[in-house]
């Protein structure tokens, strides 16, 4: 059976007498075989990591896991503290109002940067990609820490965003490289456990830094700490790649695939340059750059980045009535048009496309991407104005309100670990995915009352707990399901594309929440506070401090609470509608068997060799390029 361009393997371990797994040459459909062969040299980074895993002993593997854990801790500490510094940084130059524009640009970089970084990791190597994004990260925070104006802060944020989104994506990719399907969900969720601590410790650290050191040191210390933290991880990756190269393991894995790629490749013209004498160097360099551009699909990446930016920018910056303005409509129209041009380019022109046709035919990838899109759209519809809502409706302190906002993050982390354990022992992901989305749906429907003026504290907390529990189950299982459906060569780019569509869903949810807020809240204030002047109502609409300064029981504050009640109900109803779609899409996901292999479509081990799981618990291992299978005892875990 063909699924997404790959031949689907049986979903259970093999029993005696079952049909043997076909050789590599028959695992991919005839219509995609030539494409896969042409892409071999665009996935040298994948072969390097497979070769490195053959030379790693127990200690280097544990160093990798320990380094990933330490890096994840620093990532979460960064996320939990530096967001507070931006307010003080911009205010020190009298430009506090530019925070919105800066965060919009940052969100664009985070979204469109993922496919670019995934391509770099595939074409070069994981270690090289890590060094690249670390340089952007350090340079970005260094620029911010030494900034003499808000323009330098904005420039530093852009550089930092490239590095930050790259490091987080590469962490997910490397986890997929070094873990089998049965363990991957658990390891991915464990990488998020530092958020449990830093969600509550981070605000205290940022407050102390601002009070005693200043916002510049808040950024600057991460520019110093992050290279030290990532040094063991990067050194281990580069050491493994270099040792594997010395042992010719990379060439061995590429093997006949590389020779086939060369024979079928359109690059064969480069051999003609050998007759040109001294012009050989220039010709070789020019063709090498052209070849690199084709492998990266630079044109496709530029088209995709421009299209997504033009679509996300008006969505994330939308205000009341702005979606009807000519400039916003023009940006959306051009963005959609560029998306169409990108599709034509990747389908008809690109030799190594960003989004290969087999990805579009892959049900698991497409459904996982749209599950992420609608799930995050639903989430941000109710989350965008949640902090404002609790400050107005509840008599909580700022600290307690901040802790409340962290409940869902903590719930996501805990339930993600539960999901990983379930995937490990159930060896299936679809049950966990569907249950998680149902729990998330229940949490959203409960908000009809909990986001109202008369909700209790317990109701409000319970909805956030349910959202977190369901979200953790869904996120981990859908990611593993998508990665299980592709070969190792495609793991990096499909992970990036699924996360890209998820980011677009988040931006769409933010835009919808903003549109609902700006088009309903002023009218609701008119409805519940008719005795106030237009100027007074405008002040209440534009400044939350003008509301929170009034005590509960004050007619004005109670009127604002009623206005919040009506507005939040509209957002919740829209969120409920959006949260139904992921449940329906999840029912269509193939329920892959999560065995002790890198993926579920070609029976390849982590080190690039083939191995078929049998009933006795042994495995049959062979070269990735085909050939006889050899029985080797226990399966590789």
């Amino acid at each position: 059976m063909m699924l997404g361009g790959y031949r689907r393997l049986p979903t259970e371990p093999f029993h005696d007498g079952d049909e043997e797994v076909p050789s590599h040459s028959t695992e991919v459909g005839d219509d995609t075989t030539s494409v896969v062969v042409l892409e071999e040299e665009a996935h040298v980074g994948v072969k390097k990591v497979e070769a490195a895993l053959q030379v790693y002993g127990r200690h280097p593997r544990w160093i990798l896991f320990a380094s990933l854990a330490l890096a994840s801790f620093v990532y979460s500490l960064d996320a939990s503290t530096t967001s507070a510094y931006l307010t003080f940084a911009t205010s020190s130059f009298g430009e506090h109002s530019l925070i919105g524009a800066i965060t919009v640009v940052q969100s664009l970089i985070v979204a469109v940067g993922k496919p670019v970084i995934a391509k770099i990791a595939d074409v070069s190597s994981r270690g090289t990609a890590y060094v690249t994004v670390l340089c952007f990260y350090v340079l970005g925070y260094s620029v911010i820490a030494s900034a003499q104006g808000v323009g330098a802060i904005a420039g530093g944020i852009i550089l930092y965003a490239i590095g930050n989104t790259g490091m987080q994506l590469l962490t997910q990719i490397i986890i997929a490289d070094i873990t089998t399907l049965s363990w991957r969900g658990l390891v991915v969720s464990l990488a998020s456990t530092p958020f449990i601590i830093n969600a509550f410790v981070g605000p205290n650290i940022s407050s102390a830094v601002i009070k005693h050191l200043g916002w510049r040191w808040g950024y600057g210390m991460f520019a110093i700490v992050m290279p030290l933290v990532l040094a063991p991880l990067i050194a281990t990756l580069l050491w493994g790649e270099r040792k594997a190269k010395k042992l010719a393991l990379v060439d061995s894995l590429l093997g006949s695939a590389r020779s086939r790629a060369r024979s079928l490749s359109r690059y064969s013209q480069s051999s003609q340059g050998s007759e040109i004498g001294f012009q050989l160097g220039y010709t070789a360099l020019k063709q090498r750059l052209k070849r690199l551009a084709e492998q990266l699909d630079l044109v496709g990446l530029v088209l995709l980045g421009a299209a997504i930016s033009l679509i996300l920018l008006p969505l994330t910056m939308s205000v009341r009535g702005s979606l009807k303005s000519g400039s916003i409509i023009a940006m959306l129209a051009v963005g959609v048009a560029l998306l169409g041009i990108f599709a034509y380019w990747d389908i008809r022109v690109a030799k190594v496309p960003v989004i290969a046709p087999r990805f579009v035919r892959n049900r698991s990838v497409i459904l996982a991407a749209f599950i992420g899109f609608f799930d995050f759209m639903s989430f941000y519809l109710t989350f965008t104005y949640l902090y404002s809502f609790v400050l107005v409706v509840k008599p909580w302190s700022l600290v307690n309100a901040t802790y409340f906002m962290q409940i869902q993050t903590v719930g996501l982390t805990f339930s993600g670990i539960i999901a990983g354990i379930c995937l490990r022992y159930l060896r299936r992901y679809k049950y966990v995915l569907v249950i998680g989305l149902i729990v998330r749906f229940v949490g959203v429907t409960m908000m009809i009352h909990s986001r109202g003026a008369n909700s209790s504290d317990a109701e409000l907390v319970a909805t956030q707990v349910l959202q977190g529990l369901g979200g953790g189950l869904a996120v981990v299982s859908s990611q593993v399901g998508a990665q299980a459906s592709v070969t190792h060569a495609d793991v990096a780019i499909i992970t990036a594309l699924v996360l890209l569509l998820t980011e677009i869903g988040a931006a769409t949810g933010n835009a919808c929440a903003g549109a609902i807020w700006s088009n309903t809240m002023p009218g609701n204030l008119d409805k519940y506070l008719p005795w106030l002047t237009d100027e007074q109502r405008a002040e209440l609409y534009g400044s939350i401090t003008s509301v929170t300064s009034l005590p509960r029981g004050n007619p004005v504050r109670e009127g604002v609470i009623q206005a919040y009640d009506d507005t939040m109900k509209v957002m919740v109803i829209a969120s409920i509608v959006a949260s139904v779609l992921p449940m329906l899409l999840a029912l269509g996901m193939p329920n892959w068997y999560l065995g002790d292999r890198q993926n579920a479509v070609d029976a390849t081990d982590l080190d690039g060799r083939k191995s078929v799981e049998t009933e006795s618990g042994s495995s049959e291992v062979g070269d990735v390029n085909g050939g006889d299978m050899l029985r080797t005892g226990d399966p590789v875990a």
Side-chain angles (χ1 to χ4, degrees), residues 279-356:
Q279 296 182 3
L280 174 63
Y282 172 76
T283 303
L285 176 62
K286 184 172 68 173
Q287 293 198 4
R288 184 175 181 180
L289 292 175
K290 178 183 177 182
R291 182 174 180 177
L292 179 62
E294 290 173 340
Q295 290 173 343
L296 288 172
D297 189 15
L298 285 182
V299 175
L301 289 173
V302 170
L303 288 173
L304 179 62
I308 297 303
S309 298
L310 288 173
I311 292 172
L312 287 184
L313 190 61
L315 290 179
T316 52
M317 299 189 69
S318 62
V319 295
R320 188 180 188 185
S322 65
L323 289 177
K324 298 179 181 178
S325 68
S327 59
I328 295 296
I329 294 175
M331 291 175 69
L332 288 171
V334 173
V336 172
L338 285 177
L339 208 56
I341 296 173
F342 164 75
Y344 176 82
W345 170 269
D346 258 27
I347 293 172
R348 298 293 185 183
V349 181
K351 297 176 181 177
V352 187
V354 177
I355 303 179

Side-chain angles (χ1 to χ4, degrees), residues 376-494:
F376 268 61
M377 177 182 174
S378 171
F379 168 70
Y380 278 96
L381 270 166
T382 62
F383 184 79
T384 303
Y385 290 94
L386 177 59
Y387 191 61
S388 302
F389 172 79
V390 296
L391 288 178
V392 169
V393 175
K394 296 297 178 182
W396 295 347
S397 66
L398 289 176
V399 173
N400 288 335
T402 302
Y403 285 158
F404 167 78
M405 296 296 290
Q406 303 295 341
I407 289 175
Q408 182 157 286
T409 300
V410 175
L412 278 165
T413 305
F414 271 119
S415 63
I417 296 173
I418 295 172
I421 295 173
C422 291
L423 298 186
R424 172 71 184 96
Y425 291 102
L426 292 176
R427 301 294 182 116
R428 302 285 182 179
Y429 75 93
K430 187 172 181 178
Y431 315 122
V432 180
L433 173 61
V434 173
I435 291 172
L437 292 172
I438 291 174
V439 172
R440 204 155 168 87
F441 175 75
V442 171
V444 175
T445 55
M446 286 178 61
M447 291 180 189
I448 286 288
H449 187 266
S450 69
R451 294 292 175 91
N454 301 315
S455 63
S456 65
D457 293 354
E459 282 182 279
L460 203 54
V461 171
T463 56
Q464 294 305 105
V465 170
L466 288 174
Q467 284 277 283
L469 292 177
L473 297 174
V475 168
V476 171
S477 54
S478 63
Q479 179 173 320
V480 173
Q483 292 178 347
S485 69
V486 298
T487 61
H488 192 187
D490 293 333
V491 164
I493 192 64
I494 69 100

